[in-house]
């Protein structure tokens, strides 16, 4: 219950927990083992995480003692904010940890719950529902695992709801093969983490910014602080902007150009904000035609973000961060770094060694110290501490302006409709749709898919879609569908009104308490169906000459006269009879279905609507209505 409250209050977080699959009865020994895992895991991930820029919080691990049914384990919580890629990067990290440490099993959840199952929702077995999915999804040996229900002759549980965590871990250890997720489910997750760790570099964006010299020095020492500054500016309110009327810490008198590394999410948040500085702040912007306008604008916004951070800090400017050497885990962590060649063979005391040591210390503070205590320094406190300790050399910064690395192109923010469509298709795992000419496009797919959709099962939980990218095409058995329909219409008296029966005798027979054998039931079904068909024929004749009857396209019979021809020759009685028969011709269901769907699709004008949504969910992609577009453009002005 406590966990559910937390999920309701806090948004955009991911929680990860790593459990030993083997039992260790001694709590003290288990605690030492788990602390050793923290040292080894963080050292193994250091090359990936030391330079990574997180949106809000960093990946972190700490020891958590046994509580109720949850055994002792290591884990953490990361608030990823608007950058969903941070969450999936953590999923990749957890998968790699269980691959490198096969004696650990991991659970990953976010504020939506079992988001891994949500990602693979199209491929889940029917027995897996929200009420029994808790404590069933794990990463083990680098593979996605789902603890199944009871099997014949097996010892797996068959609970009405979810199982407890300890039981799930025992079953995962005893039945690893039975718990391995199917290939379709595993591939849905692999698609989301495909490309890591190489794609980490693609998530960054380097841009030139004109900032106060103090900010340039701070970002050189602590590049990760750019995320806190961007978030402070992005989430500003009128109270925050009061501190920016007159700058106390980052005045615009000493500005320098510097290269700043953002994540693409942070860069988009900063660059897309429309903001004009207060005249009292001293910051001004050149004309938009200025070649360095973008650098001026980004730097001005960053300065406001850093000033807001300092105005909201709670500590004193002289506060200092806790040194990693004060933690009992630091020694083991440092030894593991050396084993994994984190320092790249550099000698102690060299410039390369010292630079990497700074990164290792900061990474250790983010991953171990900050999760352990709520009394740690805020980003504003860190900025004030760096301001008091750093020596800003204006001459050196001016010299570096001439040797800045080139800024990167930000055209990735311009999204074309075609690229958006491709992204959406990749998100749901669809193959790229090839454009086909009208002559090559097979409209029978529409009718076949709609018939298959009608034949599927539906309930209060929703309708089942017949198309699945991992399944073969759905077949439609007309005979079984017809026989099922006859069974519905025939023997059940509730399906027919009393007026549909020809006599009271038939009504009494249907409501008789006496059992009828098959021989007696068959004539009654035929008689009832014949009566129903006769009423339907009369109704068809009455509606044939109305707008409802004329709105349907009918099948053309041999010897029948087209309705338009029949109207032109109404004086001829024989042709009038043929015209009447033509009006009563059977409705062409397939042609009417396709016509109505195409009209609905065309009326959407390329936007989302019921026709396109239903057909695309069944795997049918209609081409654009080029005829309508050509007709629209050819209309006279």
């Amino acid at each position: 219950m406590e966990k559910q409250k937390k999920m309701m209050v806090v948004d955009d977080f991911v929680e990860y927990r790593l459990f030993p699959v083997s039992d260790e009865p001694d709590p003290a020994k288990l605690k030492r083992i788990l602390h050793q895992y923290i040292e080894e895991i963080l050292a193994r991930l250091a090359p990936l995480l030391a330079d990574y820029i997180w949106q809000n919080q960093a990946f972190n691990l700490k020891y958590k003692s046994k509580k109720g049914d949850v055994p002792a384990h290591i884990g953490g919580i990361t608030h990823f904010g608007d950058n969903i890629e941070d969450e999936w990067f953590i999923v990749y990290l957890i998968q790699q940890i269980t691959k490198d440490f096969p004696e650990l099993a991991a659970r990953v959840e976010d504020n939506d719950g079992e988001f891994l199952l949500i990602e693979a929702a199209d491929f889940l077995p029917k027995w897996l529902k929200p009420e029994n999915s808790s404590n069933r999804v794990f990463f083990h040996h680098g593979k996605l695992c789902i603890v199944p229900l009871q099997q014949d002759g097996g010892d797996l549980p068959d609970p009405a709801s979810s199982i407890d965590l300890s039981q799930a871990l025992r079953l995962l250890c005893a039945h690893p093969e039975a718990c391995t997720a199917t290939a379709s489910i595993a591939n849905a997750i692999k698609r989301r983490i495909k490309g890591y760790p190489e794609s980490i570099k693609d998530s960054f964006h380097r841009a030139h910014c004109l900032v106060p010299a103090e900010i340039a020095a701070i970002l050189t020492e602590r590049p990760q602080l750019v995320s806190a500054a961007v978030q402070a500016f992005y989430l500003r309110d009128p109270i925050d902007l009061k501190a920016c009327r007159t700058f106390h810490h980052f005045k615009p008198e000493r500005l320098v150009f510097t290269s700043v590394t953002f994540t693409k999410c942070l860069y988009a948040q900063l660059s897309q904000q429309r903001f004009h500085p207060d005249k009292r702040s001293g910051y001004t912007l050149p004309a938009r035609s200025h070649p360095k306008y973008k650098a001026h604008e980004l730097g001005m916004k960053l300065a406001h973000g850093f000033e807001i951070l300092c105005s909201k800090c709670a500590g004193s400017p002289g506060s200092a961060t806790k040194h990693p050497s004060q933690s009992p885990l630091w020694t083991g962590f440092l030894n593991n770094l050396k084993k994994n060649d984190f320092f790249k063979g550099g000698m102690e005391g060299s410039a390369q060694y010292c630079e990497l040591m700074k990164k290792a210390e900061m990474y250790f503070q983010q991953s171990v110290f900050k999760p352990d205590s709520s009394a740690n320094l805020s980003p504003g406190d860190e900025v004030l501490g760096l301001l008091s300790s750093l020596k800003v050399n204006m001459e050196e910064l001016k010299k570096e302006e001439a040797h800045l690395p080139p800024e990167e192109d930000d055209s990735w923010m311009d999204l074309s409709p075609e690229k958006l469509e491709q992204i959406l298709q990749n998100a749901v795992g669809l193959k790229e749709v090839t454009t086909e000419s009208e002559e090559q496009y097979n409209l029978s797919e529409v009718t076949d898919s709609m018939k298959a959709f009608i034949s599927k099962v539906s309930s209060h939980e929703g309708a089942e879609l017949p198309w699945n990218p991992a399944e073969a095409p759905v077949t439609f058995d007309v005979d079984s569908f017809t026989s099922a329909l006859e069974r519905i219409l025939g023997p059940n008296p509730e399906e027919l009104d009393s007026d549909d029966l020809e006599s009271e005798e038939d009504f009494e027979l249907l409501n008789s308490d006496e059992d009828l054998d098959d021989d007696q039931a068959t004539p009654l079904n035929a008689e009832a169906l014949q009566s129903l068909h006769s009423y339907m024929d009369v109704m068809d004749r009455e509606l044939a000459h109305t707008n409802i009857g004329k709105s349907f396209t009918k099948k053309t019979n041999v010897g029948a006269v087209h309705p338009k021809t029949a109207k032109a020759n109404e004086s001829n009685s024989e042709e009038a009879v043929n015209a009447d028969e033509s009006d009563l011709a059977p409705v062409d269901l397939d042609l009417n279905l396709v016509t109505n769907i195409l009209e609905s699709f065309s009326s959407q004008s390329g936007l989302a609507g019921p026709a396109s949504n239903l057909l695309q969910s069944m795997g049918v992609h209609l081409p654009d209505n080029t005829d309508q577009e050509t007709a629209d453009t050819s209309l006279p002005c």
Side-chain angles (χ1 to χ4, degrees), residues 17-35:
R17 295 178 290 174
L18 297 156
F19 303 91
V21 293
S22 58
D23 292 332
E24 176 54 58
D26 187 1
K29 185 177 180 181
L30 179 60
K31 184 176 181 179
R32 289 195 301 271
I33 293 174
L34 292 177
H35 275 113

Side-chain angles (χ1 to χ4, degrees), residues 36-101:
Q36 186 177 357
Y37 276 129
I38 293 177
E39 299 170 3
E40 295 178 3
I41 291 172
L42 292 180
R44 187 75 62 91
L45 299 179
L48 294 178
L49 302 184
D51 294 325
Y52 192 81
I53 299 175
W54 299 92
Q55 182 78 7
N56 280 349
Q57 285 183 313
F59 176 83
N60 55 84
L61 291 176
K62 69 175 182 178
Y63 168 79
K64 297 185 179 181
S65 58
K66 181 178 180 181
K67 186 175 182 181
D69 294 331
V70 181
H73 62 281
I74 56 177
I77 297 178
T78 296
H79 297 267
F80 56 86
D82 295 325
N83 193 0
I84 192 67
E85 291 304 319
D86 280 359
E87 179 179 28
W88 288 105
F89 180 43
I90 288 175
V91 173
Y92 166 78
L93 295 177
I94 294 298
Q95 183 199 39
Q96 291 301 306
I97 291 172
T98 59
K99 184 178 180 180
D100 297 338
F101 300 89

Side-chain angles (χ1 to χ4, degrees), residues 250-449:
F250 304 102
K251 297 183 179 182
E253 283 79 15
R254 303 203 309 163
L255 298 177
V256 294
F257 284 98
T258 187
S259 179
V260 181
T261 300
F262 303 87
T263 63
K264 287 185 175 179
C265 180
L266 291 172
Y267 179 79
Q269 287 180 328
L270 192 67
S271 62
Q272 294 299 311
Q273 286 273 305
R274 292 187 177 181
F275 179 75
H276 297 282
D278 194 301
K279 294 182 180 179
R280 291 169 288 183
S281 67
Y283 282 90
T284 57
L285 292 176
R288 287 187 174 272
S289 59
H290 193 280
K292 294 290 185 179
Y293 175 81
K294 195 70 174 179
H296 283 77
E297 184 186 33
L298 292 174
M300 176 270 297
K301 293 176 180 177
L302 270 183
H304 279 72
F306 275 101
E307 188 70 25
I308 292 171
L309 283 179
C310 294
S311 67
K312 298 173 71 172
C313 67
S316 60
S319 299
T321 58
K322 188 178 178 182
H323 196 272
S325 60
Q326 298 177 259
S327 171
L329 299 177
W330 170 251
T331 302
F333 170 73
L334 187 58
N335 292 333
N336 280 288
L337 284 180
K338 295 177 180 178
K339 288 180 183 178
N340 288 278
D341 195 25
F342 176 76
F343 296 100
K344 302 177 182 178
M347 297 293 293
E348 291 192 28
S350 64
Q352 179 187 14
Y353 186 91
C354 293
E355 182 180 355
L356 291 174
M357 179 61 76
K358 282 184 180 180
K359 291 183 179 180
E361 291 175 353
M362 190 55 59
Y363 164 57
F364 187 80
Q365 287 175 348
Q366 289 180 333
S367 302
V368 178
F369 279 171
K370 285 192 175 182
D372 284 338
S373 174
S374 60
N376 280 281
L377 297 177
S378 67
D381 292 321
E382 291 187 53
V383 172
L384 288 177
L386 290 170
L387 279 177
S388 62
S389 60
L390 289 177
K391 295 181 179 179
V392 181
N393 191 330
M394 193 66 180
E395 294 182 1
E396 289 293 329
L397 292 175
K398 284 292 184 181
K399 290 179 181 179
E400 292 177 1
E401 285 184 346
H403 305 285
L404 293 178
E407 58 181 348
E408 298 174 350
D409 183 19
D410 60 359
S411 60
W412 51 266
M413 289 197 299
D414 300 328
L415 198 61
S416 64
E418 294 77 13
K419 190 174 181 181
L420 176 61
E421 180 68 20
Q422 185 62 42
I423 291 173
L424 294 176
Q425 291 174 7
N426 293 337
V428 297
L430 301 180
K431 295 181 180 179
E432 184 177 359
V433 180
T434 57
T435 57
E436 299 175 339
S437 63
E438 184 180 1
E439 291 78 8
Q440 294 174 333
Y441 193 80
N442 187 8
L443 286 176
S444 63
E445 292 184 24
V446 178
T447 57
D448 294 340
S449 299

